[in-house]
Amino acid sequence: MSTGSFSKPFSAAFDINSQEFSLTGVIRPRSVDEIAVNISMLKGAIDQVRGVLYINVKRLIQMNNTAFHAFVRVFLDACRARPDLRFVIVTSSVVGWTTRMFSHLNKIEPQITIEVYDSKFYPGQSFVEDASFIPILRTQTKMTWRHERTILPRHGMRPGIAMADICCGIGDFAVLVQKEFQPLRIVALDHSRASLAYARDVATGFGITDIEYTYGDASEMLLEDSQFDFVSCRHSLQIFNRPDVLLAELYRICKPGGRVYVTNEKNSHCLGEPRSQSIQWTYNEVAKLFSHFEMDVELGPKSRRYFADAGFEDIVVESIMVSNLDGDPQDFADVIAAWENVYAGEMAVKRGDSPEFIQRFRQGFQDHIFAALHPKGYAGWPIWVASGRKPR
Amino acid sequence: MNEADRESVEAAFEPLLQLEMEMTTFLSDWHHCDQLSTFIGRIVSHNRTDPVRHSNVFSSVLNELLEVSFRGGSPDGQIDCAVYRHGAVERVRLTFPCPPHQRQFVGEAVSKTRRADALARHLDSISTDLASNRDAVFLDLAINFDARIRLENSAPPSITLVVDLPLQGIVN
């Protein structure tokens, strides 16, 4: 059910299959009577479950003391009446006060425990949030920006807009956009504290003070509905195990008439000459490797379908080929070397691949570097750019 | 802290925002607490390290303070909410008219937040329904938001709450 009298939607729901009662939104009632139906739903949930009841408050943006005490009263009474029942309250590290408030309950009733939903919200997160990835990201942006600065206006970028860069990483794209297009407001969100710290340093170094960097979960953002004229999310749908959920969030925060802009790869289409066969084999294996970790680095051309399914209109899709001929070929080679380190050095090892496989896997990256630095060679990294307009 | 030191600290707080409203208007709609706390939170937090999350936490605290003034305030006069900053600390100074007995209750609730047994009282307020709403709110702010709360002398029938909030620690 929803309670429309609050400034932002509030909802409570119970899923018997997962034994999960969830509270989302802003809940600031004047009296307990206003949430009586929700309290009743919670009591009904307690009556139906066995063993453990999960209380999901990951997306609980605000809750006043009146509501907190009303819900907690039910938990505590249930603990006393049902010694067989445990409560696991699942909070988010993004909304810091919920963990603090609810953690006291364990001191009162050991049957109530708190779990901070954090680092496991998508399977490949640990690979891409590692601080060692930062130099690669910076070089990648430098290479793609040469193309994107020309492309962006075709996808709705213009001066004076409100923009959000979701999964902003080290924030360099936001800085480049700020310098090139002068949007009125930029909010840049990421779930890596190391990347955000780096981003703030970069912005400070450039004397840019008006980018709002924020720590957050892209699939469940604190940002309100319909705020931004332009929402970018680069190279990220492909590393979420549920890209449709992420795209729905991008849609939600985009203003009606505004545009969501994404970039993604199709890794198996990375190419190079000479040694093309070795290169192609390795990048086909890259796609399989990411798939093992529930990431789809073949997503690029699928963007059109994702946008259509999410309800966008005026969908624009185009591809760019980043190559060793853009600027310094050594930059291209450095990026490939970094990919080799992470993909062959970490991910393949974690998957349990044999030394023989990893050796062949590495060789394709080495051959790609060889092609990039060869005086007559060509090395390419294709990227699909897509945007769609949220209906008015 | 002697008077000179206190004045020095007071002077260090830079004013950020001040909002005044007729109490009759404020009391006309409960949702003013939510709306004002959200609005002020956004403005105050815009140049904090993480504005979105700072605003969320600040709004949590300010909403509770406004709810206290809504529940205990009287309709004659104005509510005055001012926010100041000194380093990592935001200070809320909230003045509103209230009956004399409310003034006493608020004073007692505030004093409980400074006692050594504040955490025990907070747990008690959660586990039983015996604590007053005021006690529960101020203990919650002190324990969960590291708020330092005091009452400032103001001319009756008004009451002034001064709340220092080192929220950066919670946000980061």
Side-chain angles (χ1 to χ4, degrees):
Chain A
M1 62 79 60
S2 290
T3 307
S5 57
F6 298 106
S7 62
K8 301 175 199 74
F10 158 63
S11 70
F14 173 57
D15 178 359
I16 182 66
N17 294 322
S18 54
Q19 299 210 143
E20 181 180 84
F21 180 82
S22 56
L23 292 169
T24 61
V26 176
I27 172 168
R28 287 171 164 173
R30 184 174 181 179
S31 75
V32 179
D33 294 345
E34 291 175 42
I35 54 171
V37 66
N38 309 109
I39 296 291
S40 176
M41 183 191 290
L42 173 59
K43 289 177 177 171
I46 290 168
D47 288 342
Q48 292 181 61
V49 298
R50 290 183 175 186
V52 60
L53 176 61
Y54 293 92
I55 308 294
N56 178 345
V57 294
K58 291 184 296 188
R59 296 196 69 178
L60 181 59
I61 296 170
Q62 296 288 356
M63 173 182 259
N64 69 359
N65 252 270
T66 301
F68 176 77
H69 282 263
F71 282 107
V72 164
R73 178 86 270 130
V74 179
F75 302 155
L76 297 176
D77 287 348
C79 286
R80 285 151 200 167
R82 293 269 310 271
D84 60 304
L85 187 61
R86 285 196 309 118
F87 288 89
V88 177
I89 299 179
V90 186
T91 65
S92 162
S93 63
V94 176
V95 189
W97 59 265
T98 50
T99 305
R100 279 194 165 206
M101 278 181 81
F102 284 101
S103 64
H104 298 299
L105 302 183
N106 179 255
K107 300 183 187 101
I108 300 167
E109 285 291 350
Q111 286 164 252
I112 303 175
T113 54
I114 311 297
E115 283 183 7
V116 182
Y117 159 87
D118 195 350
S119 61
K120 292 183 179 175
F121 70 84
Y122 63 93
Q125 186 180 8
S126 59
F127 297 117
V128 297
E129 289 195 356
D130 193 299
S132 65
F133 220 73
I134 286 175
I136 318 175
L137 297 174
R138 189 155 191 185
T139 308
Q140 283 187 179
T141 304
K142 181 178 159 188
M143 289 161 56
T144 56
W145 178 249
R146 293 191 183 94
H147 300 268
E148 288 186 270
R149 68 185 299 184
T150 309
I151 287 171
L152 279 163
R154 294 203 287 273
H155 293 267
M157 176 61 74
R158 61 192 188 280
I161 60 171
M163 167 190 170
D165 186 28
I166 306 305
C167 306
C168 69
I170 57 171
D172 46 358
F173 178 73
V175 168
L176 290 165
V177 166
Q178 175 70 304
K179 289 167 71 177
E180 183 82 15
F181 296 101
Q182 292 93 42
L184 195 63
R185 182 187 182 207
I186 303 184
V187 173
L189 177 146
D190 202 89
H191 195 263
S192 164
R193 293 184 192 274
S195 295
L196 286 172
Y198 186 92
R200 291 187 180 106
D201 283 347
V202 169
T204 304
F206 281 106
I208 292 173
T209 56
D210 45 3
I211 297 175
E212 301 171 40
Y213 289 105
T214 186
Y215 171 69
D217 173 353
S219 62
E220 297 190 359
M221 293 185 276
L222 279 182
L223 301 171
E224 290 170 22
D225 297 356
S226 306
Q227 273 198 68
F228 300 99
D229 302 291
F230 188 89
V231 179
S232 58
C233 184
R234 300 167 59 260
H235 289 74
S236 297
L237 288 184
Q238 62 183 30
I239 55 168
F240 271 80
N241 57 332
R242 293 285 311 277
D244 53 328
V245 172
L246 177 51
L247 193 57
E249 273 293 271
L250 305 179
Y251 182 96
R252 181 182 67 77
I253 66 170
C254 185
K255 285 180 187 172
R259 294 190 76 88
V260 170
Y261 168 93
V262 303
T263 64
N264 290 285
E265 299 165 79
K266 182 174 175 69
N267 248 272
S268 64
H269 281 206
C270 283
L271 54 91
E273 284 288 352
R275 304 182 181 177
S276 61
Q277 289 187 339
S278 165
I279 295 167
Q280 189 172 3
W281 182 86
T282 284
Y283 284 100
N284 277 325
E285 292 300 322
V286 168
K288 293 176 192 170
L289 178 62
F290 273 77
S291 177
H292 175 80
F293 291 105
E294 298 182 51
M295 295 180 271
D296 182 9
V297 289
E298 299 286 274
L299 190 144
K302 302 172 190 169
S303 306
R304 188 175 175 217
R305 172 169 62 80
Y306 275 111
F307 271 78
D309 290 349
F312 288 94
E313 57 187 24
D314 187 28
I315 299 165
V316 178
V317 181
E318 58 186 306
S319 59
I320 57 176
M321 180 67 82
V322 177
S323 83
N324 60 329
L325 305 183
D326 303 332
D328 186 351
Q330 188 61 50
D331 283 347
F332 197 101
D334 289 345
V335 167
I336 307 305
W339 288 351
E340 181 190 341
N341 285 338
V342 176
Y343 304 166
E346 295 179 29
M347 294 174 71
V349 171
K350 188 165 184 182
R351 186 172 60 170
D353 292 338
S354 67
E356 295 75 23
F357 174 88
I358 291 174
Q359 186 180 7
R360 187 180 176 193
F361 193 40
R362 283 187 181 277
Q363 188 59 48
F365 294 114
Q366 291 298 319
D367 289 338
H368 207 196
I369 292 170
F370 181 80
L373 298 178
H374 193 286
K376 297 179 187 174
Y378 181 84
W381 170 34
I383 293 168
W384 274 260
V385 175
S387 72
R389 186 174 63 216
K390 181 175 177 177
R392 290 181 191 279
Chain B
M1 188 182 290
N2 62 35
E3 194 57 32
D5 288 342
R6 180 184 289 278
E7 285 177 7
S8 167
V9 170
E10 293 289 320
F13 274 89
E14 174 192 4
L16 296 180
L17 174 150
Q18 183 164 7
L19 185 144
E20 293 175 358
M21 188 185 250
E22 291 297 327
M23 272 302 273
T24 48
T25 307
F26 176 63
L27 295 174
S28 66
D29 189 346
W30 171 254
H31 295 105
H32 286 153
C33 302
D34 173 50
Q35 290 158 355
L36 288 172
S37 61
T38 302
F39 176 68
I40 293 173
R42 281 184 196 153
I43 292 175
V44 165
S45 305
H46 82 280
N47 57 356
R48 278 301 191 191
T49 304
D50 190 331
V52 173
R53 295 174 62 242
H54 191 277
S55 171
N56 174 264
V57 178
F58 186 90
S59 170
S60 289
V61 176
L62 184 56
N63 178 69
E64 295 296 343
L65 296 172
L66 291 172
E67 287 188 9
V68 166
S69 59
F70 193 101
R71 293 183 197 279
S74 52
D76 303 319
Q78 287 191 321
I79 181 170
D80 181 334
C81 178
V83 185
Y84 306 80
R85 177 179 295 170
H86 176 46
V89 178
E90 260 83 28
R91 168 173 291 177
V92 175
R93 177 178 272 115
L94 184 66
T95 303
F96 58 96
C98 69
H101 67 279
Q102 282 290 341
R103 188 186 177 89
Q104 183 187 341
F105 292 150
V106 171
E108 289 168 2
V110 166
S111 70
K112 289 173 187 167
T113 66
R114 301 223 199 90
R115 294 181 193 160
D117 63 349
L119 176 59
R121 283 179 182 273
H122 177 55
L123 297 180
D124 200 45
S125 79
I126 294 171
S127 59
T128 70
D129 283 333
L130 300 177
S132 73
N133 179 270
R134 279 178 308 272
D135 286 6
V137 166
F138 289 132
L139 287 166
D140 165 48
L141 298 185
I143 299 295
N144 295 317
F145 297 89
D146 302 333
R148 293 186 295 271
I149 310 168
R150 63 185 167 87
L151 274 181
E152 197 173 72
N153 288 332
S154 56
S158 286
I159 189 170
T160 297
L161 284 164
V162 179
V163 183
D164 286 348
L165 299 164
L167 299 181
Q168 289 283 80
I170 300 173
V171 173
N172 298 320

